Amino acid sequence: STKKTVSQTSGRGVGLKIVKSVVESFGGKVMLETGQGGTCFTLSIPLTIAIVQALLVRVADNVFALPFSQVDRLVRVPYPNIKQAFDQEVAVVEGEDIPLLRLNRIFGLGEKDQGIFLSEKKVASFGFSTKSELVIVTRPEKFTENSTSGEIGLVVDDVFSEQDIVVKPMQGILKQSKGFAGVTLLGDGRPALILDIATLI
């Protein structure tokens, strides 16, 4: 960005513009000072901003972020290993019963076109790979009474990647929303809600 001539890879300030837009998106500032000793860039970031490592998951057409601090492991659970115990779905993972939470139902995102409640003929039409659920086993900070193992399984449609995210706190009336620790902006500019399993359950 400080080159005197423009080349194919530098000199137009494109890289600094990206940095500026990202920093300003969460209330920060980029300051630049140039003198005889060189150029000084100063990034000012609000103290309320936190950066955490998170797992990006998809539920229906929505992307959510789940902090790694709450993730224990990712497993594929075959349909025969998912059972109904009273009013709670339970997955048997390594001989242990883990209560399941279906995020699509909790957030009202609609039912996906597969699951243990479809007919055998319908399930067979999808092929072997659909005869299981993708479950993220989590260890939230506090548990419900029916979670004797201290673990909860989150049923998701897909897992994208792991990455460091900038946590922006909820504003206004959204602060009262349970199940969310904040919001972050993805690389393409879309917002993604950050899950807080402790308050969700």
Side-chain angles (χ1 to χ4, degrees):
S1 296
T2 57
K3 282 185 173 289
K4 295 181 179 179
T5 58
V6 175
S7 68
Q8 290 184 346
T9 57
S10 61
R12 295 184 297 274
V14 177
L16 183 59
K17 183 178 180 182
I18 294 173
V19 173
K20 182 175 182 290
S21 63
V22 171
V23 171
E24 288 182 345
S25 71
F26 50 79
K29 293 187 298 182
V30 176
M31 291 163 283
L32 179 133
E33 293 180 63
T34 302
Q36 293 182 351
T39 302
C40 176
F41 295 93
T42 303
L43 304 184
S44 176
I45 300 176
L47 293 176
T48 55
I49 296 296
I51 297 178
V52 299
Q53 196 172 23
L55 193 66
L56 297 182
V57 302
R58 180 179 64 82
V59 179
D61 294 326
N62 300 270
V63 178
F64 296 94
L66 181 62
F68 263 173
S69 61
Q70 297 185 14
V71 175
D72 186 58
R73 60 195 186 277
L74 180 65
V75 296
R76 275 279 183 187
V77 181
Y79 289 162
N81 289 4
I82 299 177
K83 57 187 179 180
Q84 197 82 13
F86 300 101
D87 294 330
Q88 175 70 58
E89 271 188 298
V90 176
V92 180
V93 179
E94 299 175 356
E96 185 178 10
D97 289 350
I98 298 179
L100 292 181
L101 293 179
R102 292 184 179 271
L103 296 180
N104 61 328
R105 294 179 185 170
I106 293 175
F107 299 139
L109 301 176
E111 297 291 335
K112 62 181 181 179
D113 195 20
Q114 63 183 49
I116 63 175
F117 300 112
L118 295 177
S119 66
E120 292 183 6
K121 182 178 179 181
K122 183 70 173 177
V123 169
S125 68
F126 287 109
F128 180 77
S129 62
T130 62
K131 296 182 180 180
S132 62
E133 294 284 15
L134 185 58
V135 176
I136 299 173
V137 181
T138 71
R139 290 184 178 275
E141 296 176 356
K142 60 181 181 179
F143 315 113
T144 57
E145 293 181 359
N146 62 350
S147 178
T148 56
S149 68
E151 294 182 325
I152 296 291
L154 303 180
V155 180
V156 300
D157 296 334
D158 199 5
V159 173
F160 290 132
S161 63
E162 56 184 76
Q163 67 180 55
D164 292 334
I165 60 172
V166 176
V167 180
K168 297 179 66 174
M170 295 290 199
Q171 300 294 328
I173 194 172
L174 294 178
K175 288 183 178 180
Q176 310 302 322
S177 301
K178 291 186 177 181
F180 303 111
V183 66
T184 188
L185 289 179
L186 303 177
D188 58 5
R190 289 183 300 161
L193 291 169
I194 303 169
L195 298 177
D196 179 14
I197 308 305
T199 59
L200 184 65
I201 59 178

